[in-house]
Amino acid sequence: MSVINKPSLSESLARTRWAGTLTAEQMARVERETFERCFEAGSIICHKGDPVDYWMGVTEGLLKMSSVSPQGKAVTFTGMLAGGWFGEGSLLKTEGRLYDVVALRDSHVAFMPRATFTWLLDNSIAFNRFLLRQINARLGLFISLVEVDRSLDADARVARCIASLFNPDLNPAGGPQLQISQEEIGYLCSVSRQRANQALQVLERAGLLKLDYGGLTVLDLDGLRAF
């Protein structure tokens, strides 16, 4: 599936939250050395255990970050929309990737080489501050994941999943409207499409969101986070 009016890679990079932390010289190097790949829905972007050679960002589409335990239990950590970047923790620790990333729809992903990422760390205090905020936001997200997973409440899991897609540090896509299918929400929350639909109806009746054709509109983001 082709993406209509998709921004160029340079335009996508310029719209990131971290671009504003860089000088013109630093941004020019990022644009020279970063490249983009497209992936069809269902494609594996990266596998758990792979060496981490790039900082990666979604320029178009929807990705799922997940893992399967040795006992076979699948855990979905989060979804990532355009503008979201991931992998900085593994780059900083020089360890293998700790999760799988899959494209839930046709997607484009930007790849910044490790050398470029490390150079930014060495040369930009503002970029380091951005990364601290991002890592802190991801830590908070994963702590909430543990809390909700232990509650075994599918309605709360769906609420948390949708709220995470509006985290300004991890998914800075913008406005209250989200184009996403109930099947995609089910994949992100590890529930069936039918169960996702039931949860969405509960959240709509609670006045937290409004279901639209092919998506939803968030009416009360704080309420979703606290549900």
Side-chain angles (χ1 to χ4, degrees):
M1 179 178 68
S2 61
V3 179
I4 300 173
N5 297 326
K6 181 195 172 298
S8 68
L9 177 57
S10 293
E11 290 171 331
S12 294
L13 293 174
R15 295 175 183 175
T16 61
R17 290 177 67 88
W18 50 264
T21 71
L22 305 184
T23 65
E25 176 193 3
Q26 291 165 346
M27 196 64 194
R29 173 166 175 174
V30 167
E31 291 181 356
R32 283 197 309 271
E33 299 178 359
T34 302
F35 61 91
E36 187 178 46
R37 292 177 180 167
C38 56
F39 297 87
E40 294 183 350
S43 299
I44 303 292
I45 312 298
C46 50
H47 290 276
K48 182 177 180 179
D50 283 351
V52 181
D53 298 320
Y54 300 94
W55 193 38
M56 301 163 70
V58 188
T59 56
E60 192 75 32
L62 174 64
L63 310 185
K64 179 180 77 167
M65 180 189 292
S66 61
S67 181
V68 179
S69 72
Q71 293 75 33
K73 181 181 178 181
V75 177
T76 297
F77 298 126
T78 188
M80 292 170 286
L81 294 162
W85 286 70
F86 61 95
E88 61 279 349
S90 296
L91 280 169
L92 291 169
K93 292 182 287 186
T94 63
E95 64 183 8
R97 199 171 297 280
L98 299 177
Y99 45 79
D100 302 308
V101 177
V102 180
L104 292 185
R105 63 175 76 142
D106 292 356
S107 301
H108 291 71
V109 179
F111 291 73
M112 180 190 294
R114 173 187 289 275
T116 314
F117 178 83
T118 302
W119 180 78
L120 289 177
L121 289 178
D122 292 340
N123 290 276
S124 175
I125 293 175
F127 183 72
N128 279 270
R129 287 174 177 160
F130 162 81
L131 283 181
L132 283 173
R133 288 195 302 271
Q134 170 138 321
I135 291 170
N136 186 55
R138 205 179 302 283
L139 176 62
L141 174 67
F142 289 167
I143 289 173
S144 72
L145 171 65
V146 173
E147 293 173 341
V148 173
D149 184 61
R150 288 181 177 176
S151 77
L152 301 178
D153 185 330
D155 294 341
R157 202 151 65 235
V158 170
R160 173 206 156 272
C161 167
I162 294 171
S164 73
L165 295 177
F166 290 87
N167 184 307
D169 292 306
L170 303 177
N171 279 309
Q177 294 183 322
L178 177 64
Q179 294 300 308
I180 189 170
S181 70
Q182 294 183 7
E183 184 176 24
E184 289 171 335
I185 291 173
Y187 284 139
L188 291 176
C189 303
S190 299
V191 299
S192 68
R193 186 194 67 77
Q194 291 80 5
R195 186 63 186 87
N197 175 267
Q198 292 173 11
L200 289 168
Q201 306 240 2
V202 169
L203 299 175
E204 185 174 45
R205 287 196 295 271
L208 303 177
L209 56 80
K210 178 179 178 297
L211 296 177
D212 306 318
Y213 179 76
L216 56 87
T217 300
V218 171
L219 303 176
D220 184 353
L221 184 55
D222 289 337
L224 277 177
R225 290 169 175 155
F227 185 84

